[in-house]
């Protein structure tokens, strides 16, 4: 077994060579070439020319598109906060999805006809591995199923010709950290089992507060509040240093400070991403772009597995291998 | 002169359409949620006694954050697949929209200070909440609708702000309808308490698995129904923020608040056609008439049993 330098609680061993075409992965480890955190509002696809900030974000997606041509992953593994689920985690498994998307909020920006090719075998393997870890999961394979705006925007911008197959997993509204971390580990299991190389994506904004009026009514794009912007910057700084697990550990604070969403239990994309990537800080972080899009924090970030690590921290949050349900923290009724 | 001839609380669990096995829906069921479906039968029978032209439907599943939006395309036809229950609801719809009425409400609401927008994209897919409630009220889709989105102000700011916005939207709705020559039924498309199970039974219509998710939310549902039956819609309106907080109520979408405001807070007792649960949520099918509604023979209770009040964490 390959021995690598790891930080406390590290599960992912870094590949030996950072050239993606020559990466050698230790046996038993998932072959994850790179991960990305990207926004998913339709402005950056449908009308990037309308604001300079949107143009820049659109161009950053172009960089990812070029990188993928070099990386040549077998699949794009996608977690989208734009796809909420409430009865179990859901994984898209329809081999070819065809529809025309119209965003429920931004319908005036236009329609998006799309085709997405799904790696159905991988999606089923992911479901099986998640169930083995105690999660409630189901695959979806229905004509007309509404693929979320974030996933469609990502596909159109980085994989428009379906050069790569995808697997998309929902963001379970009621899942908290334990479930989400285990969902990430199940993705690793499935990648190991299927021996597929992957580029991993999270589609989400940072701060998610919109400006309260229409884009045509304001001249300059801006963040919805200074507080949101400060929290975004905190995450940008940490991720530029590759400190993914540190960001993951700050998710609860970020949710309470910079997110609007009472119904969603917590800000969970970094829980999932860090778990998939091995719960470490061993990355080379690249901030490809960071701009406001209708007031939200739209960051395009790349994280490449690296032998170097930032920090050697004792984390506050525990590690979880198998989901065993919510713990009942109330005293049992003795009667 | 136009008139609001009725207002209804018409919850939209796709399970009800699934259990009805209409030709528009692809999945087939054996049975299920009969009490609620019979409640809708009763409501349809009641509405058949009155003359109306349009259903104005406000739905939580057309969620917008920048303003309140209105369907603005005369005909919309597509397939609606419920993202949560695609196994139960894959429904081919073909509906007509009363666009002029929608435009007028949209304009008047803007004059009253709300941010509003008309939806003009012909590829737009109508949300399943609007479709389920409308189907259960008129399976033949005879009447056109006005579709109104639910603004997410409860999440952004809080229920108190949402209440104020819905009061204004109700005022705009009332003024425009009364200035028209249309008879209108208002439809608040949502459940009451909304905590639900996160696992589905292997056979979704297995009614041995159906019950309220939590007794505390049942008590709150009964408190709401008690106020409805008492005709005390101002108290009902005032309690909505607490109810929403305690039961994760779908009232956060503002539908009931909007409807009560548009009906100028009716004082006649509401007719409760049914109450039942769907995957643990509390669903009431309720009808308000603006006048000449026969009061219920049942004397409404006035309080929730006190020993359980602390279960839900707050006294009404």
């Amino acid at each position: 077994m390959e021995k690598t330098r790891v930080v406390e609680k590290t599960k992912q061993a870094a590949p030996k060579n950072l050239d993606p075409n020559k990466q050698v992965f230790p046996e038993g480890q998932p072959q994850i070439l790179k991960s990305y955190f990207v926004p998913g509002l339709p402005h950056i696809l449908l009308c990037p020319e309308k604001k300079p900030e949107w143009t820049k974000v659109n161009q950053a997606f172009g960089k990812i598109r070029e990188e993928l041509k070099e990386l040549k992953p077998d699949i794009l593994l996608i977690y989208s906060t734009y796809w909420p689920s409430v009865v179990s985690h859901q994984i898209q498994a329809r081999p070819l999805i065809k529809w025309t998307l119209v965003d429920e909020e931004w319908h005036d920006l236009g329609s998006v006809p799309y085709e997405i090719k799904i790696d159905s075998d991988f999606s089923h393997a992911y479901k099986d591995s998640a169930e083995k870890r105690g999660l409630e999961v189901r695959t979806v394979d229905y004509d007309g199923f509404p693929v979320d705006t974030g996933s469609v925007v990502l596909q159109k911008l980085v994989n428009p010709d379906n050069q790569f197959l995808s697997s998309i997993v929902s963001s379970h509204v009621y899942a908290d950290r334990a479930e989400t971390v285990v969902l990430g580990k199940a993705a690793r299991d499935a990648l190991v089992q299927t021996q597929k190389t992957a580029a991993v994506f999270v589609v989400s904004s940072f701060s998610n507060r919109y400006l309260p009026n229409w884009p045509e009514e304001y001249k300059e794009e801006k963040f919805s509040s200074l507080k949101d912007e400060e929290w975004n910057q905190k995450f940008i700084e940490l991720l530029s240093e590759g400190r993914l697990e540190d960001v993951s550990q700050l998710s609860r604070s970020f949710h309470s400070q910079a997110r609007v969403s009472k119904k969603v239990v917590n800000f969970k994309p970094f829980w999932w991403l860090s778990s998939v990537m091995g719960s470490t800080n061993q990355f080379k972080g690249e901030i490809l772009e960071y701009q406001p899009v209708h007031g939200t924090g739209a960051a395009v970030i790349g994280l490449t597995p690296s032998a170097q690590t930032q920090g050697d921290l004792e984390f506050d949050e525990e590690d979880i291998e198998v989901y065993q349900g919510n713990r009942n923290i109330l005293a049992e009724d003795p009667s | 002169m136009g008139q609001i001839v009725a207002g209804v609380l018409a919850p939209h669990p796709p399970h009800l359409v699934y259990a009805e096995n209409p030709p528009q829906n692809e999945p087939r069921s054996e049975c299920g949620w009969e009490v609620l479906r019979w409640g809708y039968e009763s409501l349809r029978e009641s509405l058949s006694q009155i003359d109306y032209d349009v259903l104005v439907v406000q739905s939580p599943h057309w969620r917008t954050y920048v303003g309140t939006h209105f369907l603005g395309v005369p005909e919309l036809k597509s397939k609606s697949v419920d993202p949560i229950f695609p196994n139960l609801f894959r429904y081919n719809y073909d509906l007509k929209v009363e666009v002029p009425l929608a435009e007028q409400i949209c304009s008047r609401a803007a004059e009253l200070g709300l941010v509003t927008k008309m939806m003009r994209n012909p590829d737009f897919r109508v949300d399943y909440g609007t479709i389920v409630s409308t189907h259960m009220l008129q399976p033949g889709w005879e009447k056109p609708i006005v579709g109104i989105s639910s603004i997410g102000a409860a999440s952004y700011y809080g229920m108190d702000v949402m209440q104020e916005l819905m009061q204004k939207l109700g005022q705009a709705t009332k003024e425009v309808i009364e200035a028209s020559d249309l008879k209108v039924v208002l439809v608040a498309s949502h459940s009451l308490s909304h905590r639900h199970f996160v696992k589905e039974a292997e056979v979704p219509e297995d009614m041995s698995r159906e019950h309220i998710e939590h007794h505390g939310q049942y008590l709150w549902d009964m408190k709401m129904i008690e106020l409805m039956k008492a005709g005390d819609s101002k108290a009902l309106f005032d309690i909505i923020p607490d109810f929403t907080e305690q039961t994760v109520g779908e009232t956060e979408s503002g539908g009931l608040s909007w409807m009560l405001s548009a009906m100028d807070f009716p004082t006649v007792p509401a007719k409760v056609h049914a109450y039942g649960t769907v995957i643990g949520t509390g669903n009431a099918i309720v009808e308000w008439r603006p006048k000449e509604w026969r009061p219920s023979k049942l004397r409404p209770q006035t309080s929730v049993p006190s020993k359980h009040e602390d279960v839900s964490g707050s006294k009404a």
Side-chain angles (χ1 to χ4, degrees), chain A residues 83-88 90 99-100 102-111 114 136 138 140 142-147 172 174 208-214 216 260-263 294, chain B residues 61-67 69 78-79 81-87 90 115-121 123-125 154-158 194 196-200 245 248 250 252 279:
Chain A
W83 180 12
S85 62
V86 297
V87 178
S88 78
Q90 294 185 331
W99 203 260
T100 296
V102 178
D103 187 82
E104 63 181 358
E105 179 101 43
W106 306 106
H107 39 79
D108 57 334
L109 299 184
S111 308
Y114 64 87
E136 187 81 10
R138 56 185 177 186
V140 294
Y142 302 100
D143 175 50
F145 184 88
V147 177
H172 193 328
Y174 299 139
N208 67 343
R209 248 177 283 265
Y210 283 155
L211 298 175
N213 46 8
W214 310 109
E216 55 271 24
V260 176
S261 203
K262 281 188 174 177
K263 282 197 166 182
H294 201 76
Chain B
H61 292 285
W62 184 9
R63 175 50 52 90
T64 53
Y65 290 96
V66 186
H69 300 215
S78 187
K79 181 197 277 188
V81 179
D82 182 341
I84 308 300
F85 298 102
N87 52 326
R90 304 190 298 278
V115 176
T116 63
K117 188 166 206 126
M118 292 300 296
M119 196 296 298
R120 307 286 193 189
N121 190 324
D123 297 326
F124 186 81
R125 196 146 51 153
S155 297
Y156 258 55
Y157 306 109
H194 207 63
H196 55 73
F197 308 137
V198 293
K199 293 181 181 177
E200 189 177 43
E245 178 73 22
V248 199
E250 213 171 20
E252 66 92 35
I279 56 158

Side-chain angles (χ1 to χ4, degrees), chain B residues 5-312:
Chain B
V5 292
V8 296
L9 181 60
H12 58 250
H15 306 66
L16 303 185
V17 171
Y18 165 68
E20 297 267 322
N21 288 316
Q24 298 102 319
N25 198 32
E26 291 175 0
R28 299 288 101 183
S29 71
E30 295 179 305
C31 60
W33 303 278
E34 275 72 16
V35 173
L36 283 167
R37 288 165 50 213
W38 294 336
Y40 265 114
E41 268 182 30
S42 170
L43 176 56
R44 287 195 297 269
E45 170 64 23
S46 179
L47 292 178
S48 73
Q49 308 295 319
I50 56 175
D51 178 30
Y52 68 96
D53 306 301
V54 186
L55 294 165
V56 179
V57 188
Q58 196 264 16
S59 169
H61 292 285
W62 184 9
R63 175 50 52 90
T64 53
Y65 290 96
V66 186
T68 300
H69 300 215
F70 298 77
L71 293 180
V73 177
E75 294 184 19
L76 289 160
K77 181 179 180 180
S78 187
K79 181 197 277 188
S80 172
V81 179
D82 182 341
I84 308 300
F85 298 102
N87 52 326
L88 307 184
F89 191 77
R90 304 190 298 278
Y91 186 99
N92 294 285
Y93 65 87
D94 185 355
L95 62 84
K96 290 185 170 51
V97 178
E98 183 67 30
V99 176
L101 182 63
E103 288 171 337
Q104 289 164 34
I105 300 173
C106 179
S107 296
R108 181 62 187 136
E111 287 170 5
L112 292 174
L114 302 187
V115 176
T116 63
K117 188 166 206 126
M118 292 300 296
M119 196 296 298
R120 307 286 193 189
N121 190 324
D123 297 326
F124 186 81
R125 196 146 51 153
V126 178
D127 71 284
Y128 75 90
T130 297
I131 292 169
V132 169
S133 292
T134 308
H135 173 94
M136 295 306 292
L137 290 167
Q138 52 160 15
W141 293 82
E142 296 87 359
K143 313 278 187 186
I145 69 166
V146 168
I148 306 178
S149 77
S150 163
I151 186 170
S155 297
Y156 258 55
Y157 306 109
M159 270 309 288
D160 292 335
V161 172
M162 188 69 181
Q163 292 282 84
E164 288 201 22
L165 294 176
M166 291 302 101
Q167 268 192 290
K168 285 198 172 180
L169 184 61
Q171 181 188 341
T173 306
K174 175 179 187 291
E175 288 176 9
V176 168
I177 290 171
E178 288 181 350
S180 75
D181 58 357
L182 296 169
K183 293 184 173 60
V184 174
V185 173
L186 303 182
V187 182
S189 165
H190 59 76
S191 63
L192 290 177
S193 63
H194 207 63
R195 289 187 196 280
H196 55 73
F197 308 137
V198 293
K199 293 181 181 177
E200 189 177 43
E202 191 173 341
V203 177
E205 59 266 41
D206 177 354
M207 289 296 99
S208 70
R209 302 281 297 273
E210 189 59 78
H211 56 85
I212 194 77
E213 197 271 352
H214 182 268
H215 180 55
Q217 70 182 45
Y218 189 87
L219 291 173
W220 270 101
D221 285 347
M222 291 306 111
K223 179 66 182 175
M224 295 285 279
I225 288 174
E226 176 188 307
L227 292 168
M228 294 173 190
K229 293 179 74 165
D232 195 350
S233 45
K234 285 227 163 149
L236 179 64
F237 183 88
D238 288 343
I239 208 175
I240 283 174
D242 279 347
F243 171 79
T244 306
E245 178 73 22
Q246 296 298 329
T247 68
V248 199
E250 213 171 20
T251 39
E252 66 92 35
S253 63
L256 181 58
S257 307
W258 156 76
M259 189 188 70
L260 294 174
S261 168
M263 296 185 75
D264 212 10
F265 300 98
T267 52
V268 290
K271 167 73 174 173
V272 178
H273 291 273
Y275 174 85
T277 67
V278 179
I279 56 158
T281 64
N283 294 266
I285 298 166
V286 187
E287 178 185 12
W288 282 262
R289 292 284 181 88
K291 57 185 179 182
E292 295 174 358
W293 178 252
R294 281 182 302 165
S296 167
K297 289 178 182 174
L298 296 174
R299 191 162 60 93
Q301 296 179 351
T302 55
S303 65
V304 175
S306 60
K307 75 172 191 173
H308 290 305
E309 280 180 339
D310 59 347
V311 173
S312 52

Side-chain angles (χ1 to χ4, degrees), chain A residues 96-285:
Chain A
L96 177 61
I97 312 168
K98 292 175 70 171
W99 203 260
T100 296
L101 170 81
V102 178
D103 187 82
E104 63 181 358
E105 179 101 43
W106 306 106
H107 39 79
D108 57 334
L109 299 184
S111 308
V112 188
Y114 64 87
E115 290 188 20
I116 301 173
K117 288 185 178 171
I118 296 291
D119 188 334
S120 186
D121 291 341
F122 178 80
S123 292
H124 285 284
Y126 190 3
K127 172 182 178 284
D128 293 343
S129 61
E131 286 179 340
K132 283 179 188 164
R133 284 183 178 266
L135 297 175
E136 187 81 10
V137 189
R138 56 185 177 186
T139 52
V140 294
D141 180 358
Y142 302 100
D143 175 50
F145 184 88
V147 177
D148 64 282
T149 297
S151 295
V152 171
V153 167
L154 172 67
Q155 289 286 340
K156 297 291 280 190
L157 288 175
V158 307
N159 189 27
D161 303 322
N162 279 302
Q163 183 179 351
F164 311 105
L165 299 180
S166 297
S167 179
I168 309 171
V169 61
S170 69
S171 179
H172 193 328
V173 168
Y174 299 139
D176 212 335
R177 182 173 178 274
E179 263 194 272
T180 309
V181 166
V182 171
L183 185 68
K185 291 185 177 181
R188 293 171 62 81
D189 297 343
L191 287 169
V192 170
Q193 183 206 323
T194 58
Q195 292 290 299
K196 306 224 179 204
T197 60
V200 179
F201 286 85
V202 158
V203 190
S204 175
S205 57
F206 274 6
S207 63
N208 67 343
R209 248 177 283 265
Y210 283 155
L211 298 175
N213 46 8
W214 310 109
E216 55 271 24
E217 293 172 356
Y218 54 85
K219 286 186 179 175
E220 290 185 5
E221 180 63 90
K222 60 181 180 180
F223 293 99
S224 58
S225 78
L226 180 59
K227 184 180 164 198
D228 285 359
E229 157 70 339
E230 287 175 347
W231 272 96
N232 291 342
Q233 288 288 1
K234 191 185 295 286
F235 269 32
I236 291 286
E237 180 184 344
L238 291 170
L239 290 167
S240 70
E241 297 170 354
R243 296 168 64 179
L244 177 58
E245 177 59 18
D246 287 354
V247 164
S248 167
Q249 297 275 329
L250 284 170
S251 291
R252 294 184 199 279
S253 298
F254 193 85
H255 184 77
S256 63
Q257 296 294 330
R259 298 284 293 183
V260 176
S261 203
K262 281 188 174 177
K263 282 197 166 182
V264 175
V265 167
N266 241 313
F267 183 57
K268 56 196 90 175
F270 283 109
W271 286 335
W272 182 85
L273 183 60
S274 183
S275 175
V276 172
M277 300 302 289
S279 307
T280 81
N281 286 329
Q282 292 181 282
F283 301 98
K284 175 174 177 260

Side-chain angles (χ1 to χ4, degrees), chain A residues 42-51 54-55 58 108-110 215:
Chain A
H43 310 57
I44 51 183
L45 170 69
L46 290 169
C47 52
E49 72 285 353
K50 284 191 176 175
K51 307 276 182 194
W54 305 354
T55 306
N58 174 283
D108 57 334
L109 299 184

